[in-house]
Amino acid sequence: FIVPGLIGALLMQTTITAMAVTVVREREKGTLEALIVSPIRRWELMLGKIIPNLLVAYGQMTMALLVAYFVFEVPIRGSLALLYVLSLVYMMGTLGIGIYISTAAKTVPQAMQMSFLTFLPSVYLSGLLFPIEGMPEAAQYLAHVIPLTYYLRIVRGIILKGVGLDVLWPSLLPLVAFGAVVFTLSVLRFRKSLD
């Protein structure tokens, strides 16, 4: 039960922290300004920041699945292709958080602290370590606005139960809404901070 959930926590921590730190580090070194004045378009610059982080996250996810299967003998009962596609929806939201943090942070340590400020409550309130039903009522309401809560249902549903999209769509819809809103707002803020 815990091992599949750790995949969600790993993806969240990797995408938020890596995205925030790489952009802030480039701003500190002055290379971001050099990229801005280069002939590439702003969406190409954004894509150049997002794609490597997605590849690293997918690499970590693959390693975590291999360790879960071969070391912890966790059976993978569902479709891995579906898991990878739905993980992209989740990661777009977490990358959006990372982009937003990169626009607010001035230094790399500040970006890392802000990343952990979003990461730690998510781990404790999402149902990764403790069941949501056993939490105080206020914490249960908070759990329903955390994207990791919904991703944990998806990853556990696919890996442990072998369920498909017909069962997972109630958890997918909040992730799509969260990802669309957060990613759009953070990209707009990032573009504004570049201007």
Side-chain angles (χ1 to χ4, degrees):
F1 189 74
I2 292 287
V3 173
L6 289 175
I7 294 171
L10 179 71
L11 289 179
M12 180 178 205
Q13 203 264 332
T14 299
T15 52
I16 292 175
T17 306
M19 189 71 190
V21 168
T22 54
V23 173
V24 171
R25 184 175 293 133
E26 285 197 10
R27 189 181 305 123
E28 280 183 338
K29 291 182 178 181
T31 54
L32 191 60
E33 285 77 15
L35 287 172
I36 293 169
V37 298
S38 69
I40 64 170
R41 295 178 185 86
R42 294 188 194 266
W43 67 268
E44 293 172 330
L45 173 62
M46 286 294 300
L47 213 55
K49 299 289 170 222
I50 291 170
I51 290 175
N53 285 317
L54 280 176
L55 292 176
V56 168
Y58 271 130
Q60 285 186 328
M61 181 179 166
T62 303
M63 289 299 298
L65 286 169
L66 290 171
V67 169
Y69 185 75
F70 289 109
V71 176
F72 295 105
E73 298 178 5
V74 175
I76 300 175
R77 296 189 169 103
S79 166
L80 284 177
L82 180 63
L83 179 62
Y84 276 80
V85 169
L86 298 184
S87 295
L88 179 63
V89 174
Y90 170 67
M91 287 189 286
M92 292 313 289
T94 57
L95 281 170
I97 295 171
I99 293 168
Y100 192 85
I101 289 172
S102 74
T103 63
K106 304 294 181 209
T107 64
V108 170
Q110 193 177 31
M112 292 185 74
Q113 287 174 346
M114 291 170 119
S115 298
F116 284 115
L117 191 66
T118 61
F119 176 69
L120 289 177
S122 294
V123 167
Y124 287 111
L125 296 174
S126 64
L128 174 66
L129 302 175
F130 314 108
I132 294 173
E133 297 77 23
M135 295 179 187
E137 194 171 337
Q140 289 183 30
Y141 286 121
L142 280 174
H144 292 294
V145 297
I146 295 173
L148 183 57
T149 302
Y150 301 101
Y151 184 70
L152 290 179
R153 293 176 187 163
I154 290 172
V155 73
R156 287 174 176 156
I158 292 173
I159 291 176
L160 299 177
K161 299 176 186 173
V163 297
L165 198 54
D166 55 325
V167 175
L168 298 173
W169 69 266
S171 296
L172 179 62
L173 291 180
L175 282 182
V176 170
F178 177 82
V181 170
V182 169
F183 192 77
T184 302
L185 291 176
S186 57
V187 166
L188 291 173
R189 183 176 163 106
F190 183 75
R191 288 184 65 189
K192 190 174 182 181
S193 71
L194 292 179
D195 293 336

